Amino acid sequence: MPATCDSLIEDIEDIVSAQDPKPHDRLFVRKSIVPHVRKRNKLKQDGWTEDLQADSVIPGTQKIWVKTWGCSHNNSDGEYMAGQLAAYGYKITENSSSADLWLLNSCTVKNPAEDHFRNSIKKAQEQDKKVVVAGCVPQAQPRMDYLKGLSIIGVQQIDRVVEVVEETIKEGVCEIWLTSEDTGAYGRDIGTDLPTLLWKLVEVIPEGAMLRLGMTNPPYILEHLEEMAKILLHPRVYSFLHVPVQTGSDSVLMDMKREYCIADFKQVADFLKERVPGITIATDIICGFPGETEADFKETLKLVQEYKFPSLFINQFYPRPGTPAAKMEQVHAQVKKQRTRELSQLFQSYTPYDHKVGERQQVLITEESFDGQYYVAHNKFYEQVLVPKQPEFLGKMIEVDIYEAGKHFMKGKPADNGKIHTPSIVTPLLKGEISGLTEEFKSFSANGTASPAHHFRGNENYFSTSLLPWNLKSSRVKKLYMGLALLTVITAVTMAIFK
């Protein structure tokens, strides 16, 4: 939530007073450091409150109204599609006005049914409902004017209903960024901490979506290293952390009024690299801070050479008027430029991804590249992977084979028979499983002693009748359903002949 302030915020290196303990003394006083808390203003004018609503769309959370017209076979298709959607977490509702999307399943056997179908589409559009149409009508007459611009499922594609619904709703969230001025300090003012928040978040992040943590300075993350390592290993959290170091010299850090020393940074980096294999540690460097000597700069080069950071943000110091750093003796402009150039050359001298050519990686595709030639994806370590622009992959997690590596990216091609994940709140059913079963019906499935008819549709529990014969152990029930299926086909054919 945006916060207002009455004055300019100083650079972080100018916030701490000159009386602060020296870098190595901080090891004994760090736990007593408590950040200042700025109270946020509550927005209550014009009906707004502090509980702002997000405009993102998480798939699997919407209400869907399913309406079917026509023959028994069409009703079976409607039940099947409703069952698939329910398995992915969508709530099937009987209230069309409260639904987020209307799934309209049509039939061409009777003209009145098609008229109702067409009128329902018009009504849905008037109410600004999302619409997916299925069944015989769009299959037979896909170019009808009233079908233009709608999502269509043919009679042979009903098993793809979840995919079509999610594309129609336009899933809006597949990657979450948790960020702040110092993410590691979260909770110190309210009696909690960052790991507690993160464990709560990963409980609700759906498969196929990823969480990326924002910048954290070394002091506050040091006391949570054990838990942070576990969280960064979680399959729905990027193994990536941005930990700014700014310089390789303790003397310069002291001049910057930083709350840590180089040993602190190394403890964070070394611990996470050991416990989270492959982790990406990104960092920042400031070249030419006032008072930086050639020896100080050599320490910075040594640190970068040691860790070979794959992501390094290099900044040349510029004094801001009115800050303490602006009043200090400045490093000559040409020296600052030379040090920036030398550090950049060191950074460009190593390629961190060459050894990954030939790997198969799982990546999340989130955006288009700047040149418009590729889609941009990230693997578990938030390393950039460029993939072909195939619209059906955008927002999805797919498997790719890495065939090329550059300084800042890799290139991958979709793997043959690779898995594709779409963010979903509920784990989809395995093939052959039935959704929405009550305990009573599960008992029937095992011994065949109760009538299942009232379970097919009621109390908004839907499941696929098409899959029932392969899930019931009773051969008597199997024969019954096979007979009903044959009867349904015969009825549909007869009605079509005598139309």
Side-chain angles (χ1 to χ4, degrees):
M1 182 187 299
T4 59
C5 59
D6 299 323
S7 60
L8 293 176
I9 299 176
E10 297 177 308
D11 285 341
I12 191 168
E13 62 264 24
D14 300 327
I15 292 176
V16 186
S17 70
Q19 285 73 39
D20 269 10
K22 301 300 181 287
H24 293 290
D25 297 333
R26 301 183 202 282
L27 295 173
F28 303 99
V29 300
R30 184 180 302 111
K31 289 190 176 181
S32 66
I33 299 173
V34 178
H36 295 295
V37 181
R38 183 174 298 152
K39 293 183 178 179
R40 295 174 176 174
N41 295 325
K42 294 182 179 180
L43 304 175
K44 292 188 176 180
Q45 66 273 21
D46 300 325
W48 286 90
T49 69
E50 62 179 341
D51 296 323
L52 300 182
Q53 296 297 317
D55 58 1
S56 301
V57 178
I58 301 178
T61 62
Q62 293 76 26
K63 294 181 181 178
I64 297 178
W65 180 56
V66 180
K67 176 65 177 177
T68 297
W69 294 268
C71 65
S72 300
H73 194 278
N74 221 43
N75 280 312
S76 176
D77 286 350
E79 293 284 353
Y80 177 89
M81 289 187 287
Q84 294 297 303
L85 292 166
Y88 274 77
Y90 291 99
K91 181 176 177 59
I92 309 301
T93 179
E94 297 289 346
N95 187 345
S96 61
S97 61
S98 68
D100 301 291
L101 179 143
W102 288 10
L103 174 57
L104 305 176
N105 187 25
S106 60
C107 182
T108 57
V109 173
K110 298 179 180 179
N111 283 331
E114 184 175 347
D115 293 337
H116 289 308
F117 174 64
R118 183 168 54 249
N119 292 336
S120 293
I121 291 174
K122 182 179 179 181
K123 185 177 180 180
Q125 293 170 332
E126 290 172 350
Q127 296 183 28
D128 292 327
K129 302 291 186 182
K130 301 288 186 182
V131 181
V132 173
V133 295
C136 313
V137 174
Q139 176 85 20
Q141 303 170 338
R143 291 183 174 84
M144 295 295 289
D145 288 340
Y146 67 88
L147 295 177
K148 288 183 177 178
L150 299 180
S151 299
I152 296 176
I153 304 175
V155 294
Q156 301 298 322
Q157 290 87 39
I158 61 173
D159 59 320
R160 299 183 64 184
V161 64
V162 174
E163 175 187 347
V164 174
V165 165
E166 289 184 340
E167 289 299 320
T168 303
I169 290 176
K170 295 294 182 184
E171 64 211 51
V173 173
C174 60
E175 185 174 87
I176 302 167
W177 288 19
L178 185 65
T179 187
S180 70
E181 292 180 5
D182 192 339
T183 309
Y186 171 81
R188 296 179 69 90
D189 56 331
I190 56 176
T192 185
D193 53 46
L194 181 61
T196 300
L197 171 66
L198 295 176
W199 283 124
K200 290 293 185 181
L201 287 175
V202 296
E203 287 179 5
V204 296
I205 295 174
E207 183 180 5
M210 295 294 289
L211 171 66
R212 178 196 159 187
L213 294 181
M215 184 272 288
T216 178
N217 284 296
Y220 297 124
I221 206 68
L222 270 170
E223 58 195 87
H224 302 305
L225 285 179
E226 195 78 47
E227 284 300 295
M228 289 303 300
K230 296 176 184 176
I231 290 166
L232 293 171
L233 284 169
H234 193 281
R236 291 190 287 279
V237 179
Y238 286 117
S239 297
F240 168 91
L241 199 61
H242 180 190
V243 187
V245 65
Q246 306 301 356
T247 176
S249 165
D250 278 338
S251 296
V252 176
L253 284 176
M254 187 182 302
D255 290 339
M256 288 180 173
K257 307 294 195 300
R258 295 279 166 172
E259 299 180 24
Y260 57 89
C261 58
I262 299 302
D264 293 336
F265 174 84
K266 286 189 172 185
Q267 183 180 348
V268 172
D270 293 345
F271 185 94
L272 293 179
K273 285 169 71 70
E274 178 184 352
R275 300 295 183 92
V276 189
I279 187 175
T280 295
I281 300 289
T283 196
D284 303 348
I285 297 289
I286 297 175
C287 291
F289 188 84
E292 181 187 68
T293 65
E294 189 64 27
D296 292 328
F297 179 65
K298 294 298 183 185
E299 289 296 316
T300 298
L301 292 176
K302 181 181 177 182
L303 184 71
V304 174
Q305 181 66 52
E306 178 181 353
Y307 285 91
K308 289 186 168 59
F309 304 104
S311 182
L312 178 63
F313 303 94
I314 302 172
N315 303 283
Q316 183 176 320
F317 177 80
Y318 289 99
R320 289 178 53 193
T323 62
K327 301 173 185 177
M328 298 169 65
E329 183 178 352
Q330 303 296 308
V331 175
H332 193 278
Q334 286 302 114
V335 175
K336 288 193 290 187
K337 290 181 180 178
Q338 173 58 32
R339 290 176 182 173
T340 302
R341 184 162 47 247
E342 189 174 347
L343 182 59
S344 298
Q345 289 173 348
L346 172 59
F347 175 58
Q348 295 296 331
S349 69
Y350 57 86
T351 51
Y353 307 130
D354 285 352
H355 66 287
K356 299 198 173 188
V357 173
E359 287 185 358
R360 176 163 291 189
Q361 299 181 356
Q362 187 168 270
V363 300
L364 179 60
I365 303 173
T366 57
E367 58 192 306
E368 188 179 80
S369 62
F370 287 119
D371 61 8
Q373 300 300 307
Y374 300 92
Y375 277 153
V376 177
H378 292 94
N379 60 17
K380 176 68 166 71
F381 310 106
Y382 205 70
E383 297 162 338
Q384 184 169 266
V385 180
L386 303 180
V387 299
K389 286 182 64 176
Q390 296 179 229
E392 68 271 21
F393 288 155
L394 189 60
K396 306 291 196 307
M397 185 174 283
I398 70 170
E399 290 182 331
V400 297
D401 292 323
I402 303 301
Y403 65 90
E404 183 180 332
K407 172 62 180 176
H408 304 286
F409 63 86
M410 290 168 275
K411 289 183 180 180
K413 60 180 179 180
D416 295 335
N417 302 317
K419 297 179 180 179
I420 300 177
H421 295 283
T422 299
S424 178
I425 295 299
V426 176
T427 303
L429 296 178
L430 298 175
K431 186 175 182 180
E433 286 188 325
I434 306 171
S435 65
L437 288 183
T438 63
E439 290 302 319
E440 181 183 358
F441 189 79
K442 289 178 182 176
S443 174
F444 161 80
S445 300
N447 56 41
T449 58
S451 171
H454 65 284
H455 293 277
F456 287 176
R457 182 168 182 169
N459 300 322
E460 298 183 348
N461 288 323
Y462 291 77
F463 52 88
S464 169
T465 55
S466 304
L467 298 178
L468 280 174
W470 288 269
N471 287 274
L472 301 178
K473 295 182 179 179
S474 169
S475 60
R476 174 172 57 85
V477 176
K478 289 183 181 179
K479 292 177 181 178
L480 170 62
Y481 277 99
M482 292 175 68
L484 288 175
L486 179 60
L487 180 60
T488 299
V489 174
I490 295 173
T491 303
V493 172
T494 303
M495 293 177 70
I497 293 175
F498 293 100
K499 177 182 175 182

